[in-house]
Amino acid sequence: RQADGRKVLRSSIREFLCSEAMFHLGIPTTRAGTCVTSDSKVVRDIFYDGNPKNERCTVVLRIASTFIRFGSFEIFKPPDEYTGRKGPSVDRNDIRIQMLDYVISTFYPEIQEAYSDNTTQRNAAFFRELTKRTARLVADWQCVGFCHGVLNTDNMSIVGLTIDYGPFGFMDRYDPEHVCNGSDNTGRYAYNKQPEVCKWNLGKLAEALVPELPLEISQLILEEEYDAEFEKHYLQKMRKKLGLIQLELEEDSKLVSELLETMHVTAGDFTNIFYLLSSFSVDIDPSKSEDFLEELTSQCASVEELKVALKPQMDPRQLSMMLMLAQSNPQLFALIGTKANINKELERIEQFSKLQQLTADDLRSRNKRHWKEWLEKYRVRLQKEIESVGNADAWNTDHVKVMNSNNPKYILRNYIAQNAIEAAENGDFSEVRNVLKLLEHPFQEAEGFQEVKEGAEEEGATAPAAVCAQETGSRQSYCSKPPLWAAELCVT
């Protein structure tokens, strides 16, 4: 932020690990080649709260076919009619044409070849393909609970990759309004806003491509393609996550919505609940059914976890003052706060108050009831799958296989990254290597992971608890729900 151009160890490790994690999850992304640190130090105010600290300078080698972004084309923007701000290369249409020619001929050669004699049609075909790629990319994010954190036009890849890992986060407890960036006070880049904001960014790119691509053409493409492609890809992925491999029914969309709503009201762990569902059987006997229900509800937040998650964030006096201001001076209130933020805080206060009267048994009983209702709908839907095939055993084998290859066991949760960062800041990079090894096999326990751990121990490194079977002491296994302290982690 002070324009010294230096990246630090903390953010470098996060980017290094997450870009590789995304690749092995099968999501289009830049890659990480190396992470190199030094003894040079820079001062950083991590949370922008007036408490700076010295951090080690680090370089991440990032790999991609190109790092050109949507924002790269905005350097040609004409002056804004209200602010007068303009791009540094305004009126240089010659450079924009050259950039566009380069992008399409290099990264979309099939489009260049198909429309070599009509530039406008070529540019429209390019924008259509990028719109579809971006819609599919965001659908992929939503299906693994990934939040980017800062989705401005400069963090959107011109070839549809996940790019620039800053304050990202994978959701733990499912919350559609989850904000992973501690400095995103308005929730602009919340989990459920990602599809919408990426579409908005495509609209900004469309504006930047005028006159090479007339706006009436690009806007029509955006309206025709984006939402349809997102919904189609999202539902296809969700069917796989639920093991619906035989039939594509209209009711599937409702089943997914009801699953997410159940996950929300029970504060279920997004990753672990999907992972557990592969062991749900249509023919499960009543005693095992109860065991499964118990296991499922164990992945929901406890009363203590909910108290931390729903703790009011504003000082009561500040909230009271904001409410009075909203009544007495709406114009001033609009400048310093939003009605949505105040309403959300009031909702938190109400939920937090109700939690004080809730016992663990009451919560467990309520959560079981919710999950029992949804599982019955899931059972009925799976039964339709089985009835449509001749060989139920073969279907079941394929069904489980598809689910296990679409529902990760391991993701880069914030606390896992934090464990690796803290060890690395003390000179021990073995945890970074161990976590990387784990993330290379997100859908199963990493082959050879135990050997890596033993090697690290022989070198005198602290043994990390990065495998479920190795849960010890205060360290949490990396495929279980996060520990309580993880809820306090803030990334900016």
Side-chain angles (χ1 to χ4, degrees), residues 17 51 75 81 134 186 196 209 224 245 248 269 274 289 295 325 339 350 380 402 421 457-458 466 476:
L17 289 174
N51 294 299
I75 64 173
E81 62 177 308
T134 304
T186 62
E196 176 190 331
L209 294 177
E224 284 179 347
I245 59 174
E248 293 186 1
D269 187 277
F274 271 113
S289 178
E295 195 173 2
L325 187 62
K339 190 177 179 182
E350 184 183 355
V380 170
V402 167
I421 289 164
E457 287 176 10
E458 285 169 13
Q476 190 94 353

Side-chain angles (χ1 to χ4, degrees), residues 215-275:
L215 208 52
E216 59 268 22
I217 296 176
S218 56
Q219 286 181 335
L220 184 62
I221 290 170
L222 193 53
E223 289 310 313
E224 284 179 347
E225 301 290 356
Y226 184 85
D227 293 337
E229 189 69 17
F230 172 82
E231 287 161 15
K232 174 185 160 190
H233 192 70
Y234 178 78
L235 191 53
Q236 282 175 344
K237 294 283 287 185
M238 279 295 181
R239 282 193 178 108
K240 289 177 181 175
K241 287 175 78 69
L242 291 175
L244 308 178
I245 59 174
Q246 197 65 31
L247 304 172
E248 293 186 1
L249 306 180
E250 282 188 23
E251 66 198 51
D252 294 345
S253 182
K254 188 181 178 191
L255 183 70
V256 171
S257 297
E258 289 175 340
L259 166 62
L260 295 177
E261 180 58 27
T262 304
M263 219 182 273
H264 188 205
V265 297
T266 62
D269 187 277
F270 184 83
T271 300
N272 289 358
I273 282 181
F274 271 113
Y275 185 78

Side-chain angles (χ1 to χ4, degrees), residues 171 174-180 187 190-193 264 344 347:
M171 274 194 305
Y174 178 70
D175 175 7
E177 296 181 351
H178 175 71
V179 177
C180 69
Y191 168 79
N192 62 352
K193 299 274 184 67
H264 188 205
K344 195 167 184 181
E347 190 180 321

Side-chain angles (χ1 to χ4, degrees), residues 5-17:
R6 303 295 183 91
K7 194 170 173 69
V8 297
L9 182 60
R10 164 179 46 90
S11 56
S12 299
I13 285 174
R14 284 176 58 83
E15 176 155 15
F16 179 82
L17 289 174

Side-chain angles (χ1 to χ4, degrees), residues 412-428:
L412 184 61
R413 299 178 189 263
N414 275 339
Y415 85 94
I416 298 175
Q418 190 63 27
N419 281 344
I421 289 164
E422 288 178 7
E425 287 179 335
N426 290 318
D428 177 7

Side-chain angles (χ1 to χ4, degrees), residues 27-83:
I27 298 173
T29 179
T30 56
R31 300 290 302 275
T34 62
C35 186
V36 182
T37 191
S38 77
D39 292 327
S40 301
K41 301 281 179 71
V42 287
V43 176
R44 292 287 182 268
D45 187 349
I46 301 172
F47 303 115
Y48 312 120
D49 60 0
N51 294 299
K53 61 178 274 192
N54 282 309
E55 295 195 74
R56 292 170 70 180
C57 297
T58 306
V59 174
V60 176
L61 170 62
R62 302 194 291 177
I63 305 166
S65 56
T66 180
F67 283 89
I68 294 177
R69 303 119 187 285
F70 292 10
S72 304
F73 286 89
E74 291 186 292
I75 64 173
F76 309 105
K77 284 183 76 167
D80 183 272
E81 62 177 308
Y82 301 109
T83 66

